[in-house]
Amino acid sequence: CPLYHATMSLERFKNILRFLRFDDREERIKSDRLAPIRFIFESFTKHLTRHFTPYETLTVDEQLLPFLRRCSFVKYIPNKPSRHGIQFWFLSYVDTRFVLALELYIGKVGNVVQRNLRKNVVLRLIDQLPNNVKQGRNVTYDTYFTDYELAQALLERKMTSLGVMNHKRSFVPSELKVIRQDM
């Protein structure tokens, strides 16, 4: 776009971008990996549901944004098309794909492995919704998030859920585990 070239040169833009900060290094919490952009990120996610009320169908999914630079929470997932990146979890409205809640995976918190990560992620995303939107919704998710405890927690919030279930999961009753035989 000629407007950008008329404003400043590419080298000037790179220099400004290199020194651009959204926080104060001395006041930042050292254990918080998201500290340099936490204020901007939380301000953005807080305003996602401000002017949009979804109907009853919501979905939770993950996305790996390709990124291979110096960052403490770049994740490696070998079965994705771009294996290195920043992982986002998001709650969106099914029909328009409008993102209602967003969370960034920043790795271990305090060198402690997080338990029930899948369930907690979905519940944190749901809890970002306003109270008038939470009840009476159906949340759809894939195999990664499907869990019996998550379904129970959503029922307590007066929400239904639909997920793809792997027959090898521990919460599946043995009566439902069907062994396929080739004919």
Side-chain angles (χ1 to χ4, degrees), residues 109-149:
V109 177
N111 287 333
V112 177
V113 177
Q114 299 176 23
R115 301 286 178 207
N116 300 324
L117 180 66
R118 300 166 185 170
K119 173 187 161 190
N120 293 337
V121 163
V122 174
L123 294 180
R124 283 194 303 260
L125 289 171
I126 294 293
D127 289 340
Q128 290 182 28
L129 294 175
N131 289 332
N132 63 339
V133 177
K134 287 182 188 177
Q135 295 182 355
R137 303 289 188 257
N138 181 13
V139 181
T140 306
Y141 37 78
D142 61 4
T143 309
Y144 179 78
F145 295 104
T146 304
D147 187 41
Y148 178 74
E149 293 177 11

mmCIF file of all heavy atoms in Angstrom, residues 109-149:
data_model
loop_
_atom_site.group_PDB
_atom_site.id
_atom_site.type_symbol
_atom_site.label_atom_id
_atom_site.label_comp_id
_atom_site.label_asym_id
_atom_site.label_seq_id
_atom_site.Cartn_x
_atom_site.Cartn_y
_atom_site.Cartn_z
ATOM 1 N N VAL A 109 2.981 -23.551 34.432
ATOM 2 C CA VAL A 109 2.817 -22.414 35.316
ATOM 3 C C VAL A 109 3.595 -22.721 36.588
ATOM 4 O O VAL A 109 3.231 -23.608 37.350
ATOM 5 C CB VAL A 109 1.324 -22.154 35.635
ATOM 6 C CG1 VAL A 109 1.180 -21.017 36.624
ATOM 7 C CG2 VAL A 109 0.553 -21.878 34.365
ATOM 8 N N GLY A 110 4.702 -22.022 36.804
ATOM 9 C CA GLY A 110 5.518 -22.245 37.993
ATOM 10 C C GLY A 110 6.194 -23.606 38.013
ATOM 11 O O GLY A 110 6.310 -24.210 39.060
ATOM 12 N N ASN A 111 6.602 -24.120 36.858
ATOM 13 C CA ASN A 111 7.252 -25.429 36.735
ATOM 14 C C ASN A 111 6.409 -26.567 37.287
ATOM 15 O O ASN A 111 6.921 -27.562 37.779
ATOM 16 C CB ASN A 111 8.635 -25.431 37.393
ATOM 17 C CG ASN A 111 9.638 -24.661 36.570
ATOM 18 O OD1 ASN A 111 9.498 -24.561 35.351
ATOM 19 N ND2 ASN A 111 10.625 -24.104 37.216
ATOM 20 N N VAL A 112 5.099 -26.417 37.255
ATOM 21 C CA VAL A 112 4.176 -27.454 37.697
ATOM 22 C C VAL A 112 3.352 -27.884 36.495
ATOM 23 O O VAL A 112 2.780 -27.057 35.787
ATOM 24 C CB VAL A 112 3.243 -26.928 38.820
ATOM 25 C CG1 VAL A 112 2.236 -27.983 39.220
ATOM 26 C CG2 VAL A 112 4.056 -26.466 40.010
ATOM 27 N N VAL A 113 3.290 -29.196 36.258
ATOM 28 C CA VAL A 113 2.484 -29.714 35.161
ATOM 29 C C VAL A 113 1.012 -29.548 35.531
ATOM 30 O O VAL A 113 0.589 -29.914 36.630
ATOM 31 C CB VAL A 113 2.806 -31.212 34.907
ATOM 32 C CG1 VAL A 113 1.910 -31.765 33.827
ATOM 33 C CG2 VAL A 113 4.266 -31.369 34.532
ATOM 34 N N GLN A 114 0.249 -28.965 34.625
ATOM 35 C CA GLN A 114 -1.160 -28.700 34.898
ATOM 36 C C GLN A 114 -1.982 -29.970 34.741
ATOM 37 O O GLN A 114 -1.855 -30.696 33.764
ATOM 38 C CB GLN A 114 -1.676 -27.627 33.949
ATOM 39 C CG GLN A 114 -0.957 -26.315 34.092
ATOM 40 C CD GLN A 114 -1.421 -25.303 33.068
ATOM 41 O OE1 GLN A 114 -2.511 -25.396 32.543
ATOM 42 N NE2 GLN A 114 -0.588 -24.328 32.794
ATOM 43 N N ARG A 115 -2.815 -30.256 35.718
ATOM 44 C CA ARG A 115 -3.710 -31.410 35.675
ATOM 45 C C ARG A 115 -5.057 -30.978 35.106
ATOM 46 O O ARG A 115 -5.477 -29.838 35.271
ATOM 47 C CB ARG A 115 -3.916 -31.982 37.085
ATOM 48 C CG ARG A 115 -2.638 -32.427 37.741
ATOM 49 C CD ARG A 115 -2.169 -33.708 37.127
ATOM 50 N NE ARG A 115 -0.903 -34.111 37.750
ATOM 51 C CZ ARG A 115 -0.015 -34.839 37.139
ATOM 52 N NH1 ARG A 115 -0.199 -35.232 35.909
ATOM 53 N NH2 ARG A 115 1.089 -35.181 37.747
ATOM 54 N N ASN A 116 -5.743 -31.905 34.451
ATOM 55 C CA ASN A 116 -7.062 -31.645 33.854
ATOM 56 C C ASN A 116 -7.036 -30.415 32.961
ATOM 57 O O ASN A 116 -7.937 -29.590 32.989
ATOM 58 C CB ASN A 116 -8.136 -31.489 34.929
ATOM 59 C CG ASN A 116 -8.288 -32.717 35.777
ATOM 60 O OD1 ASN A 116 -8.163 -33.838 35.286
ATOM 61 N ND2 ASN A 116 -8.543 -32.531 37.060
ATOM 62 N N LEU A 117 -5.999 -30.296 32.162
ATOM 63 C CA LEU A 117 -5.815 -29.110 31.326
ATOM 64 C C LEU A 117 -6.974 -28.934 30.354
ATOM 65 O O LEU A 117 -7.503 -27.836 30.191
ATOM 66 C CB LEU A 117 -4.488 -29.198 30.565
ATOM 67 C CG LEU A 117 -4.158 -28.042 29.648
ATOM 68 C CD1 LEU A 117 -3.953 -26.779 30.469
ATOM 69 C CD2 LEU A 117 -2.923 -28.339 28.831
ATOM 70 N N ARG A 118 -7.405 -30.008 29.718
ATOM 71 C CA ARG A 118 -8.476 -29.912 28.712
ATOM 72 C C ARG A 118 -9.763 -29.390 29.329
ATOM 73 O O ARG A 118 -10.410 -28.491 28.796
ATOM 74 C CB ARG A 118 -8.706 -31.272 28.087
ATOM 75 C CG ARG A 118 -7.494 -31.815 27.399
ATOM 76 C CD ARG A 118 -7.641 -33.268 27.104
ATOM 77 N NE ARG A 118 -6.392 -33.763 26.540
ATOM 78 C CZ ARG A 118 -6.125 -35.021 26.348
ATOM 79 N NH1 ARG A 118 -7.000 -35.940 26.651
ATOM 80 N NH2 ARG A 118 -4.977 -35.382 25.837
ATOM 81 N N LYS A 119 -10.150 -29.986 30.443
ATOM 82 C CA LYS A 119 -11.382 -29.577 31.121
ATOM 83 C C LYS A 119 -11.272 -28.131 31.586
ATOM 84 O O LYS A 119 -12.185 -27.330 31.372
ATOM 85 C CB LYS A 119 -11.636 -30.498 32.310
ATOM 86 C CG LYS A 119 -12.772 -30.078 33.191
ATOM 87 C CD LYS A 119 -12.834 -30.956 34.418
ATOM 88 C CE LYS A 119 -13.639 -30.288 35.497
ATOM 89 N NZ LYS A 119 -13.553 -30.966 36.769
ATOM 90 N N ASN A 120 -10.153 -27.778 32.201
ATOM 91 C CA ASN A 120 -9.986 -26.431 32.732
ATOM 92 C C ASN A 120 -9.968 -25.375 31.638
ATOM 93 O O ASN A 120 -10.481 -24.271 31.829
ATOM 94 C CB ASN A 120 -8.702 -26.353 33.566
ATOM 95 C CG ASN A 120 -8.802 -27.190 34.823
ATOM 96 O OD1 ASN A 120 -9.892 -27.473 35.298
ATOM 97 N ND2 ASN A 120 -7.668 -27.602 35.345
ATOM 98 N N VAL A 121 -9.393 -25.703 30.486
ATOM 99 C CA VAL A 121 -9.373 -24.753 29.368
ATOM 100 C C VAL A 121 -10.795 -24.445 28.909
ATOM 101 O O VAL A 121 -11.178 -23.287 28.748
ATOM 102 C CB VAL A 121 -8.518 -25.300 28.199
ATOM 103 C CG1 VAL A 121 -8.811 -24.554 26.916
ATOM 104 C CG2 VAL A 121 -7.055 -25.220 28.532
ATOM 105 N N VAL A 122 -11.596 -25.482 28.704
ATOM 106 C CA VAL A 122 -12.972 -25.275 28.236
ATOM 107 C C VAL A 122 -13.768 -24.480 29.264
ATOM 108 O O VAL A 122 -14.492 -23.542 28.909
ATOM 109 C CB VAL A 122 -13.652 -26.622 27.922
ATOM 110 C CG1 VAL A 122 -15.119 -26.428 27.573
ATOM 111 C CG2 VAL A 122 -12.934 -27.321 26.782
ATOM 112 N N LEU A 123 -13.621 -24.818 30.541
ATOM 113 C CA LEU A 123 -14.378 -24.103 31.562
ATOM 114 C C LEU A 123 -13.930 -22.652 31.696
ATOM 115 O O LEU A 123 -14.759 -21.765 31.914
ATOM 116 C CB LEU A 123 -14.257 -24.828 32.903
ATOM 117 C CG LEU A 123 -14.903 -26.219 32.930
ATOM 118 C CD1 LEU A 123 -14.728 -26.858 34.294
ATOM 119 C CD2 LEU A 123 -16.369 -26.156 32.543
ATOM 120 N N ARG A 124 -12.632 -22.384 31.543
ATOM 121 C CA ARG A 124 -12.173 -20.984 31.572
ATOM 122 C C ARG A 124 -12.717 -20.208 30.376
ATOM 123 O O ARG A 124 -13.076 -19.031 30.500
ATOM 124 C CB ARG A 124 -10.648 -20.920 31.604
ATOM 125 C CG ARG A 124 -10.044 -21.218 32.954
ATOM 126 C CD ARG A 124 -8.593 -20.820 33.014
ATOM 127 N NE ARG A 124 -7.779 -21.445 31.990
ATOM 128 C CZ ARG A 124 -6.993 -22.514 32.174
ATOM 129 N NH1 ARG A 124 -6.948 -23.097 33.352
ATOM 130 N NH2 ARG A 124 -6.269 -22.988 31.188
ATOM 131 N N LEU A 125 -12.774 -20.852 29.208
ATOM 132 C CA LEU A 125 -13.337 -20.184 28.028
ATOM 133 C C LEU A 125 -14.821 -19.900 28.228
ATOM 134 O O LEU A 125 -15.304 -18.812 27.892
ATOM 135 C CB LEU A 125 -13.120 -21.037 26.782
ATOM 136 C CG LEU A 125 -11.679 -21.139 26.276
ATOM 137 C CD1 LEU A 125 -11.595 -22.184 25.170
ATOM 138 C CD2 LEU A 125 -11.175 -19.805 25.794
ATOM 139 N N ILE A 126 -15.550 -20.862 28.773
ATOM 140 C CA ILE A 126 -16.984 -20.679 29.028
ATOM 141 C C ILE A 126 -17.192 -19.569 30.063
ATOM 142 O O ILE A 126 -18.102 -18.751 29.932
ATOM 143 C CB ILE A 126 -17.618 -21.996 29.513
ATOM 144 C CG1 ILE A 126 -17.585 -23.053 28.413
ATOM 145 C CG2 ILE A 126 -19.032 -21.788 30.043
ATOM 146 C CD1 ILE A 126 -18.442 -22.760 27.223
ATOM 147 N N ASP A 127 -16.353 -19.525 31.084
ATOM 148 C CA ASP A 127 -16.518 -18.528 32.136
ATOM 149 C C ASP A 127 -16.222 -17.112 31.662
ATOM 150 O O ASP A 127 -16.573 -16.153 32.351
ATOM 151 C CB ASP A 127 -15.638 -18.878 33.341
ATOM 152 C CG ASP A 127 -16.162 -20.102 34.082
ATOM 153 O OD1 ASP A 127 -17.356 -20.430 33.913
ATOM 154 O OD2 ASP A 127 -15.379 -20.732 34.817
ATOM 155 N N GLN A 128 -15.586 -16.947 30.505
ATOM 156 C CA GLN A 128 -15.361 -15.611 29.953
ATOM 157 C C GLN A 128 -16.632 -15.025 29.342
ATOM 158 O O GLN A 128 -16.704 -13.825 29.097
ATOM 159 C CB GLN A 128 -14.261 -15.643 28.893
ATOM 160 C CG GLN A 128 -12.881 -15.882 29.452
ATOM 161 C CD GLN A 128 -11.825 -15.866 28.362
ATOM 162 O OE1 GLN A 128 -11.969 -15.226 27.330
ATOM 163 N NE2 GLN A 128 -10.741 -16.588 28.595
ATOM 164 N N LEU A 129 -17.637 -15.867 29.118
ATOM 165 C CA LEU A 129 -18.900 -15.383 28.555
ATOM 166 C C LEU A 129 -19.693 -14.618 29.602
ATOM 167 O O LEU A 129 -19.600 -14.915 30.794
ATOM 168 C CB LEU A 129 -19.741 -16.566 28.054
ATOM 169 C CG LEU A 129 -19.203 -17.352 26.873
ATOM 170 C CD1 LEU A 129 -20.096 -18.554 26.604
ATOM 171 C CD2 LEU A 129 -19.122 -16.481 25.642
ATOM 172 N N PRO A 130 -20.487 -13.654 29.183
ATOM 173 C CA PRO A 130 -21.364 -12.967 30.139
ATOM 174 C C PRO A 130 -22.391 -13.942 30.713
ATOM 175 O O PRO A 130 -22.729 -14.956 30.098
ATOM 176 C CB PRO A 130 -22.056 -11.900 29.289
ATOM 177 C CG PRO A 130 -21.274 -11.790 28.041
ATOM 178 C CD PRO A 130 -20.565 -13.078 27.849
ATOM 179 N N ASN A 131 -22.900 -13.658 31.898
ATOM 180 C CA ASN A 131 -23.832 -14.560 32.577
ATOM 181 C C ASN A 131 -25.112 -14.798 31.789
ATOM 182 O O ASN A 131 -25.684 -15.880 31.842
ATOM 183 C CB ASN A 131 -24.168 -14.025 33.971
ATOM 184 C CG ASN A 131 -22.987 -14.150 34.900
ATOM 185 O OD1 ASN A 131 -22.150 -15.037 34.743
ATOM 186 N ND2 ASN A 131 -22.904 -13.259 35.867
ATOM 187 N N ASN A 132 -25.589 -13.807 31.048
ATOM 188 C CA ASN A 132 -26.824 -13.986 30.282
ATOM 189 C C ASN A 132 -26.626 -14.874 29.057
ATOM 190 O O ASN A 132 -27.584 -15.292 28.438
ATOM 191 C CB ASN A 132 -27.394 -12.632 29.856
ATOM 192 C CG ASN A 132 -26.453 -11.882 28.921
ATOM 193 O OD1 ASN A 132 -25.255 -12.144 28.882
ATOM 194 N ND2 ASN A 132 -27.009 -10.943 28.186
ATOM 195 N N VAL A 133 -25.394 -15.194 28.695
ATOM 196 C CA VAL A 133 -25.106 -16.005 27.512
ATOM 197 C C VAL A 133 -24.797 -17.452 27.892
ATOM 198 O O VAL A 133 -24.967 -18.359 27.097
ATOM 199 C CB VAL A 133 -23.919 -15.396 26.719
ATOM 200 C CG1 VAL A 133 -23.537 -16.238 25.536
ATOM 201 C CG2 VAL A 133 -24.259 -13.987 26.288
ATOM 202 N N LYS A 134 -24.363 -17.700 29.099
ATOM 203 C CA LYS A 134 -23.869 -19.024 29.494
ATOM 204 C C LYS A 134 -24.934 -20.113 29.452
ATOM 205 O O LYS A 134 -24.671 -21.221 29.012
ATOM 206 C CB LYS A 134 -23.279 -18.975 30.899
ATOM 207 C CG LYS A 134 -21.961 -18.272 30.971
ATOM 208 C CD LYS A 134 -21.429 -18.313 32.378
ATOM 209 C CE LYS A 134 -20.202 -17.450 32.501
ATOM 210 N NZ LYS A 134 -19.702 -17.400 33.862
ATOM 211 N N GLN A 135 -26.119 -19.853 29.920
ATOM 212 C CA GLN A 135 -27.119 -20.903 30.066
ATOM 213 C C GLN A 135 -27.813 -21.227 28.756
ATOM 214 O O GLN A 135 -28.031 -20.370 27.919
ATOM 215 C CB GLN A 135 -28.156 -20.496 31.104
ATOM 216 C CG GLN A 135 -27.556 -20.374 32.483
ATOM 217 C CD GLN A 135 -28.605 -20.015 33.514
ATOM 218 O OE1 GLN A 135 -29.756 -19.773 33.176
ATOM 219 N NE2 GLN A 135 -28.213 -19.969 34.768
ATOM 220 N N GLY A 136 -28.139 -22.508 28.599
ATOM 221 C CA GLY A 136 -28.911 -22.958 27.450
ATOM 222 C C GLY A 136 -28.128 -23.099 26.168
ATOM 223 O O GLY A 136 -28.717 -23.180 25.092
ATOM 224 N N ARG A 137 -26.840 -23.148 26.236
ATOM 225 C CA ARG A 137 -26.011 -23.291 25.036
ATOM 226 C C ARG A 137 -25.524 -24.722 24.898
ATOM 227 O O ARG A 137 -25.428 -25.463 25.860
ATOM 228 C CB ARG A 137 -24.785 -22.363 25.094
ATOM 229 C CG ARG A 137 -25.103 -20.901 25.272
ATOM 230 C CD ARG A 137 -25.715 -20.321 24.010
ATOM 231 N NE ARG A 137 -25.853 -18.892 24.081
ATOM 232 C CZ ARG A 137 -26.990 -18.261 24.309
ATOM 233 N NH1 ARG A 137 -28.079 -18.935 24.503
ATOM 234 N NH2 ARG A 137 -27.047 -16.952 24.330
ATOM 235 N N ASN A 138 -25.201 -25.110 23.672
ATOM 236 C CA ASN A 138 -24.613 -26.410 23.388
ATOM 237 C C ASN A 138 -23.178 -26.187 22.936
ATOM 238 O O ASN A 138 -22.926 -25.419 22.020
ATOM 239 C CB ASN A 138 -25.398 -27.136 22.297
ATOM 240 C CG ASN A 138 -24.823 -28.502 21.999
ATOM 241 O OD1 ASN A 138 -24.008 -29.017 22.744
ATOM 242 N ND2 ASN A 138 -25.251 -29.085 20.909
ATOM 243 N N VAL A 139 -22.228 -26.861 23.590
ATOM 244 C CA VAL A 139 -20.813 -26.711 23.273
ATOM 245 C C VAL A 139 -20.351 -27.984 22.565
ATOM 246 O O VAL A 139 -20.505 -29.082 23.079
ATOM 247 C CB VAL A 139 -19.977 -26.483 24.544
ATOM 248 C CG1 VAL A 139 -18.523 -26.299 24.192
ATOM 249 C CG2 VAL A 139 -20.504 -25.288 25.314
ATOM 250 N N THR A 140 -19.781 -27.817 21.382
ATOM 251 C CA THR A 140 -19.263 -28.937 20.594
ATOM 252 C C THR A 140 -17.749 -28.870 20.604
ATOM 253 O O THR A 140 -17.176 -27.796 20.469
ATOM 254 C CB THR A 140 -19.774 -28.847 19.144
ATOM 255 O OG1 THR A 140 -21.198 -28.761 19.161
ATOM 256 C CG2 THR A 140 -19.355 -30.061 18.351
ATOM 257 N N TYR A 141 -17.108 -30.029 20.772
ATOM 258 C CA TYR A 141 -15.653 -30.087 20.759
ATOM 259 C C TYR A 141 -15.193 -31.409 20.179
ATOM 260 O O TYR A 141 -15.978 -32.336 20.001
ATOM 261 C CB TYR A 141 -15.055 -29.853 22.148
ATOM 262 C CG TYR A 141 -15.832 -30.445 23.290
ATOM 263 C CD1 TYR A 141 -15.769 -31.797 23.586
ATOM 264 C CD2 TYR A 141 -16.642 -29.642 24.085
ATOM 265 C CE1 TYR A 141 -16.480 -32.330 24.633
ATOM 266 C CE2 TYR A 141 -17.360 -30.166 25.135
ATOM 267 C CZ TYR A 141 -17.264 -31.513 25.414
ATOM 268 O OH TYR A 141 -17.970 -32.041 26.452
ATOM 269 N N ASP A 142 -13.898 -31.499 19.894
ATOM 270 C CA ASP A 142 -13.355 -32.698 19.260
ATOM 271 C C ASP A 142 -12.816 -33.681 20.296
ATOM 272 O O ASP A 142 -12.994 -33.509 21.495
ATOM 273 C CB ASP A 142 -12.295 -32.335 18.220
ATOM 274 C CG ASP A 142 -11.107 -31.604 18.818
ATOM 275 O OD1 ASP A 142 -11.063 -31.435 20.047
ATOM 276 O OD2 ASP A 142 -10.221 -31.209 18.047
ATOM 277 N N THR A 143 -12.132 -34.704 19.828
ATOM 278 C CA THR A 143 -11.638 -35.785 20.678
ATOM 279 C C THR A 143 -10.707 -35.277 21.764
ATOM 280 O O THR A 143 -10.702 -35.806 22.876
ATOM 281 C CB THR A 143 -10.881 -36.819 19.810
ATOM 282 O OG1 THR A 143 -11.706 -37.177 18.720
ATOM 283 C CG2 THR A 143 -10.542 -38.057 20.596
ATOM 284 N N TYR A 144 -9.923 -34.271 21.470
ATOM 285 C CA TYR A 144 -8.954 -33.753 22.443
ATOM 286 C C TYR A 144 -9.634 -33.286 23.724
ATOM 287 O O TYR A 144 -9.133 -33.510 24.827
ATOM 288 C CB TYR A 144 -8.160 -32.607 21.807
ATOM 289 C CG TYR A 144 -7.142 -31.987 22.722
ATOM 290 C CD1 TYR A 144 -5.926 -32.619 22.956
ATOM 291 C CD2 TYR A 144 -7.391 -30.784 23.359
ATOM 292 C CE1 TYR A 144 -4.985 -32.058 23.802
ATOM 293 C CE2 TYR A 144 -6.462 -30.214 24.196
ATOM 294 C CZ TYR A 144 -5.255 -30.856 24.416
ATOM 295 O OH TYR A 144 -4.337 -30.301 25.260
ATOM 296 N N PHE A 145 -10.784 -32.635 23.627
ATOM 297 C CA PHE A 145 -11.451 -32.060 24.786
ATOM 298 C C PHE A 145 -12.486 -32.977 25.413
ATOM 299 O O PHE A 145 -12.933 -32.719 26.527
ATOM 300 C CB PHE A 145 -12.139 -30.742 24.398
ATOM 301 C CG PHE A 145 -11.184 -29.671 23.997
ATOM 302 C CD1 PHE A 145 -11.016 -29.340 22.670
ATOM 303 C CD2 PHE A 145 -10.448 -28.983 24.935
ATOM 304 C CE1 PHE A 145 -10.142 -28.349 22.289
ATOM 305 C CE2 PHE A 145 -9.568 -27.989 24.575
ATOM 306 C CZ PHE A 145 -9.414 -27.668 23.247
ATOM 307 N N THR A 146 -12.935 -34.031 24.724
ATOM 308 C CA THR A 146 -14.012 -34.872 25.211
ATOM 309 C C THR A 146 -13.613 -35.542 26.521
ATOM 310 O O THR A 146 -12.611 -36.243 26.602
ATOM 311 C CB THR A 146 -14.383 -35.941 24.172
ATOM 312 O OG1 THR A 146 -14.721 -35.290 22.956
ATOM 313 C CG2 THR A 146 -15.558 -36.773 24.637
ATOM 314 N N ASP A 147 -14.434 -35.315 27.559
ATOM 315 C CA ASP A 147 -14.167 -35.868 28.872
ATOM 316 C C ASP A 147 -15.486 -35.935 29.640
ATOM 317 O O ASP A 147 -16.326 -35.034 29.539
ATOM 318 C CB ASP A 147 -13.146 -34.984 29.605
ATOM 319 C CG ASP A 147 -12.694 -35.580 30.909
ATOM 320 O OD1 ASP A 147 -12.470 -36.797 30.957
ATOM 321 O OD2 ASP A 147 -12.564 -34.818 31.882
ATOM 322 N N TYR A 148 -15.636 -36.970 30.426
ATOM 323 C CA TYR A 148 -16.856 -37.150 31.208
ATOM 324 C C TYR A 148 -17.002 -36.047 32.250
ATOM 325 O O TYR A 148 -18.089 -35.498 32.433
ATOM 326 C CB TYR A 148 -16.848 -38.527 31.872
ATOM 327 C CG TYR A 148 -18.042 -38.783 32.738
ATOM 328 C CD1 TYR A 148 -19.290 -39.044 32.175
ATOM 329 C CD2 TYR A 148 -17.941 -38.749 34.118
ATOM 330 C CE1 TYR A 148 -20.398 -39.261 32.964
ATOM 331 C CE2 TYR A 148 -19.036 -38.976 34.922
ATOM 332 C CZ TYR A 148 -20.260 -39.230 34.347
ATOM 333 O OH TYR A 148 -21.350 -39.447 35.135
ATOM 334 N N GLU A 149 -15.919 -35.716 32.941
ATOM 335 C CA GLU A 149 -15.966 -34.670 33.963
ATOM 336 C C GLU A 149 -16.314 -33.310 33.361
ATOM 337 O O GLU A 149 -17.008 -32.508 33.979
ATOM 338 C CB GLU A 149 -14.632 -34.582 34.699
ATOM 339 C CG GLU A 149 -14.322 -35.784 35.543
ATOM 340 C CD GLU A 149 -12.960 -35.690 36.202
ATOM 341 O OE1 GLU A 149 -12.348 -34.602 36.161
ATOM 342 O OE2 GLU A 149 -12.516 -36.701 36.753
#
